[in-house]
Amino acid sequence: MTNEAGVPRIAVVPGDGIGTEVVPEARRILETVGEFEFVDAEAGDAVNERVGTPLPQETREAVADADATLFGAVGDSAADVILPLREVVDSDVNVRPARAYPGVDAVQPDCDLVVLRENTEGVYAGHEQRLSDDLSTLTRVVTESASRRLAAFACEYCEEKGLDSFHVVHKANVMRETDGRFLDAVQSVAQERGFDAEPVLMDAMATHMSMHPQDYDVLVTPNLAGDVLSDQAAGLVGGLGLLPSANLGAENALFEPVHGTAPDIAGQGVANPVATVLSAAMLLDFLDRSETAARVREATESVLEDGRRTPDLGGSATTEEMAEAIRNRL
Ligand code: NAI
Ligand code: MG
């Protein structure tokens, strides 16, 4: 919790690979725009090798006791770290905005959408079984309550953005029971609150979003569909180096880039820090520092627009140079 001095406490978990390169830069940007108490914590493959668990108890506690967490990425142990941490912050909803920035060479320069993804259940609920040498199964979990919470969040999100409708992504024609329940729950909450929840089949969405992303503002999705469609949206706007995300709970939250540890470029100092910097901006929003968050976004956008970019966006800037340029704008 916020300490006696009223200074927000932020747990910082860089993780593995490029997480250890981009998170310190995003942290420095937070230090530039405000006063925070930072608590460093470890997670992932490296700490697993040293102490035998990828998620030490101290890290769980640091995240639980913080006002918010800034997280990087972890490698092979991702499922053993990020899924439990989403539970620690009691996060129902994963917010993943995908926006094409002026000046960045994007497949779809008009793309500006956000994926609101159910964050606790679906096929990621972890109920998998090996039943024989030939057969493995997975139980998909969908609850009325989690679907309704996501829908309620979507309505509030739309209201804040001045929108009266959103799209709800599903495959209820095949998964009649689980996605049927999801779709019905989301549509009924939308109706109660005076919003229009327009259903779209998830496979059709993959095509239509690629060709006409400007037709979409807010996509409300089950867990797996949101994971896949947000990575697809990343491809439309210039790559994973640009996509931030928020795992929101009522009292606590965890902010992380959508990307992973990028083993192909880790250790070279060339990872794009923008996804993590924009995640830090979402963290500032969560702490009710929206003006500061807007300043961080504007600084980041203006650096991109001026042509300073890391190699993933066709530039030659290092992680440090890119982050320094953003700090200088602040
Ligand atoms: P990835 O996101 O790490 O990399 C995919 C591609 O995007 C690579 O070519 C990489 O170089 C590029 N890329 C990603 N972020 C970038 C950045 N900031 N700047 C420039 N280029 C960037 O996904 P991949 O390769 O599938 O997974 C690598 C590892 O990360 C795996 O061990 C996986 O389990 C883990 N992972 C962890 C996540 C998490 O901690 N939440 C999420 C996704 C993957
Ligand atoms: Mg993913």
Side-chain angles (χ1 to χ4, degrees), residues 5-64:
V7 175
R9 181 178 296 162
I10 300 175
V12 180
V13 189
D16 301 310
I18 63 167
T20 63
E21 301 170 39
V22 292
V23 167
E25 296 299 343
R27 173 186 169 150
R28 285 179 77 183
I29 283 170
L30 286 173
E31 282 167 346
T32 307
V33 296
E35 200 191 331
F36 304 100
E37 180 192 343
F38 293 100
V39 179
D40 296 304
E42 289 184 300
D45 298 352
V47 66
N48 187 27
E49 258 177 45
R50 243 188 28 255
V51 307
T53 168
L55 185 58
Q57 186 57 27
E58 308 89 81
T59 301
R60 281 176 188 270
E61 283 166 18
V63 170

Short mmCIF file of all heavy atoms in Angstrom, two decimals, residues 5-64:
data_model
loop_
_atom_site.label_atom_id
_atom_site.label_comp_id
_atom_site.label_asym_id
_atom_site.label_seq_id
_atom_site.Cartn_x
_atom_site.Cartn_y
_atom_site.Cartn_z
N ALA A 5 4.06 8.47 3.83
CA ALA A 5 4.28 9.76 3.19
C ALA A 5 3.34 9.97 1.99
O ALA A 5 3.36 11.02 1.35
CB ALA A 5 5.73 9.85 2.72
N GLY A 6 2.48 8.99 1.71
CA GLY A 6 1.55 9.14 0.58
C GLY A 6 2.22 8.91 -0.76
O GLY A 6 1.67 9.27 -1.80
N VAL A 7 3.41 8.31 -0.74
CA VAL A 7 4.12 8.04 -1.98
C VAL A 7 3.73 6.64 -2.48
O VAL A 7 3.85 5.67 -1.73
CB VAL A 7 5.66 8.10 -1.74
CG1 VAL A 7 6.41 7.71 -3.00
CG2 VAL A 7 6.06 9.49 -1.26
N PRO A 8 3.24 6.52 -3.70
CA PRO A 8 2.84 5.19 -4.18
C PRO A 8 4.02 4.22 -4.24
O PRO A 8 5.13 4.62 -4.57
CB PRO A 8 2.32 5.46 -5.60
CG PRO A 8 2.10 6.92 -5.68
CD PRO A 8 3.01 7.57 -4.70
N ARG A 9 3.72 2.99 -3.87
CA ARG A 9 4.75 1.94 -3.90
C ARG A 9 4.58 1.12 -5.18
O ARG A 9 3.49 0.59 -5.42
CB ARG A 9 4.60 1.06 -2.67
CG ARG A 9 5.63 -0.04 -2.60
CD ARG A 9 5.46 -0.84 -1.34
NE ARG A 9 5.70 -0.03 -0.14
CZ ARG A 9 5.29 -0.38 1.09
NH1 ARG A 9 4.61 -1.50 1.27
NH2 ARG A 9 5.56 0.39 2.11
N ILE A 10 5.66 1.01 -5.94
CA ILE A 10 5.62 0.27 -7.20
C ILE A 10 6.59 -0.90 -7.14
O ILE A 10 7.79 -0.70 -6.95
CB ILE A 10 5.97 1.20 -8.40
CG1 ILE A 10 4.98 2.36 -8.48
CG2 ILE A 10 5.99 0.41 -9.71
CD1 ILE A 10 5.30 3.38 -9.54
N ALA A 11 6.07 -2.10 -7.29
CA ALA A 11 6.94 -3.28 -7.40
C ALA A 11 7.48 -3.34 -8.83
O ALA A 11 6.74 -3.09 -9.79
CB ALA A 11 6.17 -4.55 -7.08
N VAL A 12 8.77 -3.62 -8.96
CA VAL A 12 9.42 -3.64 -10.27
C VAL A 12 9.99 -5.04 -10.49
O VAL A 12 10.85 -5.50 -9.75
CB VAL A 12 10.55 -2.59 -10.34
CG1 VAL A 12 11.22 -2.63 -11.71
CG2 VAL A 12 9.99 -1.20 -10.06
N VAL A 13 9.45 -5.72 -11.52
CA VAL A 13 9.84 -7.11 -11.79
C VAL A 13 10.31 -7.21 -13.24
O VAL A 13 9.50 -7.44 -14.15
CB VAL A 13 8.65 -8.07 -11.56
CG1 VAL A 13 9.11 -9.53 -11.63
CG2 VAL A 13 7.95 -7.80 -10.23
N PRO A 14 11.61 -7.03 -13.50
CA PRO A 14 12.10 -7.05 -14.89
C PRO A 14 12.00 -8.42 -15.54
O PRO A 14 11.72 -8.51 -16.74
CB PRO A 14 13.57 -6.62 -14.76
CG PRO A 14 13.70 -6.03 -13.40
CD PRO A 14 12.68 -6.70 -12.54
N GLY A 15 12.25 -9.51 -14.77
CA GLY A 15 12.17 -10.86 -15.35
C GLY A 15 13.43 -11.26 -16.08
O GLY A 15 14.54 -11.04 -15.59
N ASP A 16 13.26 -11.82 -17.29
CA ASP A 16 14.39 -12.35 -18.07
C ASP A 16 14.53 -11.59 -19.40
O ASP A 16 13.67 -10.81 -19.78
CB ASP A 16 14.12 -13.83 -18.43
CG ASP A 16 13.93 -14.72 -17.22
OD1 ASP A 16 14.77 -14.65 -16.30
OD2 ASP A 16 12.94 -15.48 -17.20
N GLY A 17 15.62 -11.91 -20.11
CA GLY A 17 15.81 -11.43 -21.49
C GLY A 17 15.70 -9.92 -21.57
O GLY A 17 16.22 -9.19 -20.72
N ILE A 18 14.99 -9.43 -22.59
CA ILE A 18 14.90 -7.98 -22.77
C ILE A 18 14.09 -7.31 -21.66
O ILE A 18 14.13 -6.08 -21.54
CB ILE A 18 14.32 -7.57 -24.15
CG1 ILE A 18 12.88 -8.06 -24.33
CG2 ILE A 18 15.22 -8.06 -25.28
CD1 ILE A 18 12.17 -7.41 -25.53
N GLY A 19 13.37 -8.10 -20.85
CA GLY A 19 12.71 -7.50 -19.68
C GLY A 19 13.71 -6.73 -18.82
O GLY A 19 13.41 -5.65 -18.31
N THR A 20 14.93 -7.27 -18.71
CA THR A 20 15.95 -6.63 -17.87
C THR A 20 16.54 -5.40 -18.55
O THR A 20 17.27 -4.64 -17.93
CB THR A 20 17.10 -7.61 -17.55
OG1 THR A 20 17.75 -7.97 -18.79
CG2 THR A 20 16.59 -8.88 -16.88
N GLU A 21 16.23 -5.20 -19.84
CA GLU A 21 16.76 -4.03 -20.56
C GLU A 21 15.72 -2.91 -20.64
O GLU A 21 16.05 -1.73 -20.54
CB GLU A 21 17.20 -4.45 -21.97
CG GLU A 21 18.28 -5.53 -21.94
CD GLU A 21 18.56 -6.15 -23.31
OE1 GLU A 21 18.56 -5.41 -24.31
OE2 GLU A 21 18.76 -7.38 -23.38
N VAL A 22 14.45 -3.29 -20.83
CA VAL A 22 13.42 -2.27 -21.03
C VAL A 22 12.81 -1.77 -19.72
O VAL A 22 12.45 -0.58 -19.61
CB VAL A 22 12.31 -2.75 -21.99
CG1 VAL A 22 12.85 -2.91 -23.40
CG2 VAL A 22 11.67 -4.05 -21.52
N VAL A 23 12.72 -2.64 -18.72
CA VAL A 23 12.07 -2.22 -17.47
C VAL A 23 12.86 -1.13 -16.73
O VAL A 23 12.28 -0.14 -16.28
CB VAL A 23 11.76 -3.44 -16.56
CG1 VAL A 23 11.39 -3.00 -15.14
CG2 VAL A 23 10.61 -4.25 -17.17
N PRO A 24 14.21 -1.25 -16.61
CA PRO A 24 14.95 -0.17 -15.95
C PRO A 24 14.76 1.18 -16.64
O PRO A 24 14.71 2.22 -15.98
CB PRO A 24 16.41 -0.64 -16.04
CG PRO A 24 16.33 -2.12 -16.15
CD PRO A 24 15.09 -2.40 -16.95
N GLU A 25 14.62 1.17 -17.97
CA GLU A 25 14.42 2.44 -18.69
C GLU A 25 13.04 3.03 -18.38
O GLU A 25 12.90 4.23 -18.17
CB GLU A 25 14.57 2.22 -20.21
CG GLU A 25 15.96 1.80 -20.65
CD GLU A 25 17.05 2.83 -20.32
OE1 GLU A 25 16.72 4.01 -20.05
OE2 GLU A 25 18.24 2.44 -20.33
N ALA A 26 12.02 2.15 -18.33
CA ALA A 26 10.67 2.65 -18.01
C ALA A 26 10.64 3.17 -16.57
O ALA A 26 9.99 4.17 -16.27
CB ALA A 26 9.64 1.54 -18.22
N ARG A 27 11.36 2.50 -15.71
CA ARG A 27 11.43 2.94 -14.32
C ARG A 27 12.07 4.34 -14.23
O ARG A 27 11.60 5.20 -13.48
CB ARG A 27 12.24 1.93 -13.51
CG ARG A 27 12.50 2.39 -12.10
CD ARG A 27 13.43 1.42 -11.40
NE ARG A 27 13.88 2.01 -10.16
CZ ARG A 27 14.21 1.30 -9.08
NH1 ARG A 27 14.15 0.00 -9.10
NH2 ARG A 27 14.61 1.92 -7.99
N ARG A 28 13.14 4.55 -14.99
CA ARG A 28 13.79 5.87 -14.98
C ARG A 28 12.83 6.95 -15.46
O ARG A 28 12.86 8.09 -14.99
CB ARG A 28 15.04 5.86 -15.86
CG ARG A 28 16.20 5.14 -15.20
CD ARG A 28 17.43 5.12 -16.09
NE ARG A 28 18.14 6.39 -16.10
CZ ARG A 28 19.22 6.62 -16.84
NH1 ARG A 28 19.69 5.68 -17.64
NH2 ARG A 28 19.82 7.79 -16.79
N ILE A 29 11.97 6.59 -16.40
CA ILE A 29 10.98 7.57 -16.88
C ILE A 29 9.97 7.88 -15.77
O ILE A 29 9.61 9.04 -15.56
CB ILE A 29 10.33 7.07 -18.19
CG1 ILE A 29 11.35 7.30 -19.31
CG2 ILE A 29 9.01 7.78 -18.47
CD1 ILE A 29 11.02 6.67 -20.63
N LEU A 30 9.56 6.86 -15.03
CA LEU A 30 8.66 7.12 -13.89
C LEU A 30 9.35 8.03 -12.88
O LEU A 30 8.74 8.95 -12.34
CB LEU A 30 8.25 5.80 -13.22
CG LEU A 30 7.23 4.95 -13.98
CD1 LEU A 30 7.03 3.60 -13.29
CD2 LEU A 30 5.88 5.68 -14.12
N GLU A 31 10.65 7.79 -12.63
CA GLU A 31 11.40 8.63 -11.69
C GLU A 31 11.47 10.08 -12.16
O GLU A 31 11.49 11.00 -11.35
CB GLU A 31 12.84 8.09 -11.52
CG GLU A 31 12.90 6.87 -10.61
CD GLU A 31 14.25 6.14 -10.68
OE1 GLU A 31 15.04 6.42 -11.61
OE2 GLU A 31 14.49 5.29 -9.82
N THR A 32 11.45 10.25 -13.49
CA THR A 32 11.52 11.60 -14.06
C THR A 32 10.22 12.37 -13.82
O THR A 32 10.25 13.59 -13.71
CB THR A 32 11.79 11.51 -15.59
OG1 THR A 32 12.94 10.70 -15.78
CG2 THR A 32 12.03 12.88 -16.21
N VAL A 33 9.09 11.66 -13.76
CA VAL A 33 7.80 12.36 -13.72
C VAL A 33 7.10 12.32 -12.36
O VAL A 33 6.00 12.87 -12.22
CB VAL A 33 6.81 11.82 -14.80
CG1 VAL A 33 7.35 12.09 -16.20
CG2 VAL A 33 6.53 10.34 -14.60
N GLY A 34 7.71 11.68 -11.37
CA GLY A 34 7.03 11.65 -10.08
C GLY A 34 7.86 11.04 -8.98
O GLY A 34 8.98 10.57 -9.23
N GLU A 35 7.29 11.07 -7.77
CA GLU A 35 7.98 10.46 -6.64
C GLU A 35 7.31 9.13 -6.31
O GLU A 35 6.10 9.08 -6.06
CB GLU A 35 7.91 11.39 -5.43
CG GLU A 35 8.98 11.05 -4.42
CD GLU A 35 8.76 11.78 -3.10
OE1 GLU A 35 8.19 12.89 -3.11
OE2 GLU A 35 9.13 11.21 -2.07
N PHE A 36 8.08 8.08 -6.34
CA PHE A 36 7.56 6.74 -6.06
C PHE A 36 8.55 5.99 -5.19
O PHE A 36 9.74 6.26 -5.22
CB PHE A 36 7.37 5.95 -7.38
CG PHE A 36 6.49 6.64 -8.37
CD1 PHE A 36 7.04 7.35 -9.43
CD2 PHE A 36 5.11 6.60 -8.23
CE1 PHE A 36 6.22 8.01 -10.34
CE2 PHE A 36 4.29 7.26 -9.14
CZ PHE A 36 4.84 7.97 -10.20
N GLU A 37 8.01 5.02 -4.44
CA GLU A 37 8.88 4.08 -3.75
C GLU A 37 8.93 2.81 -4.60
O GLU A 37 7.89 2.20 -4.86
CB GLU A 37 8.31 3.78 -2.36
CG GLU A 37 9.15 2.81 -1.57
CD GLU A 37 8.44 2.30 -0.33
OE1 GLU A 37 7.43 2.92 0.11
OE2 GLU A 37 8.88 1.26 0.18
N PHE A 38 10.13 2.44 -5.04
CA PHE A 38 10.26 1.24 -5.87
C PHE A 38 10.72 0.06 -5.04
O PHE A 38 11.62 0.19 -4.21
CB PHE A 38 11.26 1.49 -7.00
CG PHE A 38 10.77 2.49 -8.01
CD1 PHE A 38 11.22 3.81 -7.98
CD2 PHE A 38 9.85 2.13 -8.99
CE1 PHE A 38 10.78 4.75 -8.89
CE2 PHE A 38 9.40 3.06 -9.92
CZ PHE A 38 9.86 4.38 -9.86
N VAL A 39 10.09 -1.09 -5.26
CA VAL A 39 10.49 -2.33 -4.59
C VAL A 39 10.89 -3.33 -5.67
O VAL A 39 10.06 -3.72 -6.49
CB VAL A 39 9.33 -2.90 -3.74
CG1 VAL A 39 9.74 -4.20 -3.07
CG2 VAL A 39 8.87 -1.87 -2.71
N ASP A 40 12.18 -3.69 -5.70
CA ASP A 40 12.67 -4.60 -6.74
C ASP A 40 12.34 -6.05 -6.38
O ASP A 40 12.49 -6.45 -5.23
CB ASP A 40 14.18 -4.46 -6.90
CG ASP A 40 14.54 -3.07 -7.40
OD1 ASP A 40 14.00 -2.69 -8.46
OD2 ASP A 40 15.31 -2.35 -6.73
N ALA A 41 11.90 -6.81 -7.37
CA ALA A 41 11.58 -8.21 -7.11
C ALA A 41 11.95 -9.04 -8.33
O ALA A 41 11.99 -8.55 -9.45
CB ALA A 41 10.08 -8.35 -6.79
N GLU A 42 12.22 -10.33 -8.06
CA GLU A 42 12.71 -11.21 -9.11
C GLU A 42 11.65 -12.23 -9.52
O GLU A 42 10.87 -12.70 -8.68
CB GLU A 42 13.92 -12.00 -8.61
CG GLU A 42 15.16 -11.18 -8.42
CD GLU A 42 16.33 -12.06 -8.00
OE1 GLU A 42 16.23 -12.71 -6.95
OE2 GLU A 42 17.32 -12.11 -8.75
N ALA A 43 11.66 -12.59 -10.81
CA ALA A 43 10.80 -13.68 -11.28
C ALA A 43 11.38 -14.20 -12.58
O ALA A 43 12.08 -13.48 -13.29
CB ALA A 43 9.37 -13.19 -11.50
N GLY A 44 11.10 -15.47 -12.88
CA GLY A 44 11.46 -16.01 -14.18
C GLY A 44 12.50 -17.10 -14.16
O GLY A 44 12.81 -17.70 -13.13
N ASP A 45 13.06 -17.36 -15.36
CA ASP A 45 13.98 -18.49 -15.55
C ASP A 45 15.26 -18.33 -14.73
O ASP A 45 15.77 -19.30 -14.15
CB ASP A 45 14.36 -18.61 -17.03
CG ASP A 45 13.15 -18.89 -17.91
OD1 ASP A 45 12.06 -19.14 -17.37
OD2 ASP A 45 13.30 -18.86 -19.14
N ALA A 46 15.81 -17.11 -14.70
CA ALA A 46 17.11 -16.91 -14.03
C ALA A 46 16.98 -17.18 -12.54
O ALA A 46 17.81 -17.89 -11.96
CB ALA A 46 17.63 -15.50 -14.29
N VAL A 47 15.95 -16.62 -11.91
CA VAL A 47 15.80 -16.84 -10.46
C VAL A 47 15.42 -18.30 -10.19
O VAL A 47 15.83 -18.88 -9.18
CB VAL A 47 14.81 -15.83 -9.82
CG1 VAL A 47 13.40 -16.03 -10.33
CG2 VAL A 47 14.83 -15.95 -8.31
N ASN A 48 14.69 -18.90 -11.12
CA ASN A 48 14.35 -20.32 -10.99
C ASN A 48 15.62 -21.18 -10.91
O ASN A 48 15.73 -22.07 -10.07
CB ASN A 48 13.50 -20.75 -12.18
CG ASN A 48 12.97 -22.17 -12.03
OD1 ASN A 48 12.79 -22.65 -10.92
ND2 ASN A 48 12.74 -22.83 -13.15
N GLU A 49 16.58 -20.89 -11.78
CA GLU A 49 17.83 -21.66 -11.76
C GLU A 49 18.59 -21.47 -10.45
O GLU A 49 19.21 -22.40 -9.95
CB GLU A 49 18.72 -21.23 -12.93
CG GLU A 49 18.66 -22.23 -14.07
CD GLU A 49 19.46 -21.80 -15.27
OE1 GLU A 49 20.62 -21.35 -15.08
OE2 GLU A 49 18.93 -21.90 -16.38
N ARG A 50 18.52 -20.29 -9.92
CA ARG A 50 19.28 -20.00 -8.70
C ARG A 50 18.61 -20.55 -7.45
O ARG A 50 19.27 -21.14 -6.60
CB ARG A 50 19.46 -18.48 -8.55
CG ARG A 50 20.90 -18.05 -8.61
CD ARG A 50 21.16 -16.59 -8.27
NE ARG A 50 20.22 -15.95 -7.39
CZ ARG A 50 19.30 -15.09 -7.78
NH1 ARG A 50 19.18 -14.75 -9.05
NH2 ARG A 50 18.49 -14.53 -6.91
N VAL A 51 17.29 -20.35 -7.32
CA VAL A 51 16.64 -20.72 -6.05
C VAL A 51 15.59 -21.83 -6.18
O VAL A 51 15.00 -22.23 -5.18
CB VAL A 51 16.02 -19.48 -5.34
CG1 VAL A 51 17.05 -18.37 -5.20
CG2 VAL A 51 14.80 -18.97 -6.10
N GLY A 52 15.33 -22.29 -7.42
CA GLY A 52 14.44 -23.44 -7.59
C GLY A 52 12.97 -23.09 -7.72
O GLY A 52 12.13 -23.99 -7.76
N THR A 53 12.64 -21.81 -7.82
CA THR A 53 11.25 -21.43 -8.15
C THR A 53 11.28 -20.15 -8.99
O THR A 53 12.06 -19.24 -8.72
CB THR A 53 10.38 -21.20 -6.89
OG1 THR A 53 9.16 -20.56 -7.31
CG2 THR A 53 11.05 -20.31 -5.86
N PRO A 54 10.41 -20.10 -10.04
CA PRO A 54 10.40 -18.89 -10.87
C PRO A 54 9.63 -17.73 -10.22
O PRO A 54 9.70 -16.61 -10.71
CB PRO A 54 9.70 -19.35 -12.14
CG PRO A 54 8.83 -20.48 -11.71
CD PRO A 54 9.51 -21.15 -10.56
N LEU A 55 8.91 -18.05 -9.15
CA LEU A 55 8.13 -16.99 -8.49
C LEU A 55 8.31 -17.09 -6.97
O LEU A 55 7.46 -17.65 -6.26
CB LEU A 55 6.64 -17.12 -8.88
CG LEU A 55 5.70 -16.02 -8.36
CD1 LEU A 55 6.15 -14.65 -8.84
CD2 LEU A 55 4.27 -16.29 -8.81
N PRO A 56 9.41 -16.53 -6.46
CA PRO A 56 9.66 -16.60 -5.02
C PRO A 56 8.56 -15.91 -4.22
O PRO A 56 7.92 -14.96 -4.71
CB PRO A 56 10.99 -15.83 -4.85
CG PRO A 56 11.61 -15.81 -6.20
CD PRO A 56 10.48 -15.83 -7.19
N GLN A 57 8.37 -16.42 -3.01
CA GLN A 57 7.34 -15.87 -2.12
C GLN A 57 7.50 -14.35 -1.93
O GLN A 57 6.53 -13.61 -1.89
CB GLN A 57 7.37 -16.61 -0.77
CG GLN A 57 6.26 -16.24 0.19
CD GLN A 57 4.85 -16.45 -0.38
OE1 GLN A 57 4.62 -17.28 -1.26
NE2 GLN A 57 3.89 -15.68 0.13
N GLU A 58 8.77 -13.89 -1.82
CA GLU A 58 9.00 -12.44 -1.61
C GLU A 58 8.44 -11.62 -2.78
O GLU A 58 7.99 -10.49 -2.60
CB GLU A 58 10.50 -12.09 -1.50
CG GLU A 58 11.31 -12.88 -0.50
CD GLU A 58 11.89 -14.15 -1.12
OE1 GLU A 58 12.93 -14.05 -1.79
OE2 GLU A 58 11.28 -15.23 -0.95
N THR A 59 8.50 -12.22 -3.97
CA THR A 59 7.99 -11.49 -5.15
C THR A 59 6.47 -11.40 -5.09
O THR A 59 5.89 -10.33 -5.33
CB THR A 59 8.46 -12.18 -6.44
OG1 THR A 59 9.88 -12.20 -6.45
CG2 THR A 59 7.95 -11.46 -7.67
N ARG A 60 5.83 -12.52 -4.75
CA ARG A 60 4.37 -12.48 -4.56
C ARG A 60 3.99 -11.40 -3.56
O ARG A 60 3.04 -10.63 -3.78
CB ARG A 60 3.87 -13.81 -3.98
CG ARG A 60 3.72 -14.91 -4.96
CD ARG A 60 3.31 -16.17 -4.19
NE ARG A 60 3.33 -17.33 -5.05
CZ ARG A 60 2.28 -17.76 -5.76
NH1 ARG A 60 1.13 -17.15 -5.68
NH2 ARG A 60 2.38 -18.80 -6.54
N GLU A 61 4.74 -11.36 -2.44
CA GLU A 61 4.41 -10.38 -1.39
C GLU A 61 4.66 -8.96 -1.86
O GLU A 61 3.87 -8.06 -1.58
CB GLU A 61 5.21 -10.69 -0.12
CG GLU A 61 4.60 -11.87 0.63
CD GLU A 61 5.52 -12.45 1.71
OE1 GLU A 61 6.48 -11.76 2.12
OE2 GLU A 61 5.26 -13.60 2.13
N ALA A 62 5.78 -8.76 -2.58
CA ALA A 62 6.09 -7.40 -3.07
C ALA A 62 4.97 -6.92 -3.99
O ALA A 62 4.54 -5.75 -3.91
CB ALA A 62 7.43 -7.41 -3.81
N VAL A 63 4.47 -7.81 -4.84
CA VAL A 63 3.40 -7.43 -5.78
C VAL A 63 2.09 -7.20 -5.01
O VAL A 63 1.37 -6.22 -5.24
CB VAL A 63 3.23 -8.50 -6.88
CG1 VAL A 63 1.98 -8.27 -7.71
CG2 VAL A 63 4.48 -8.52 -7.77
N ALA A 64 1.81 -8.10 -4.04
CA ALA A 64 0.58 -7.96 -3.26
C ALA A 64 0.57 -6.66 -2.44
O ALA A 64 -0.47 -6.02 -2.31
CB ALA A 64 0.41 -9.16 -2.32
#
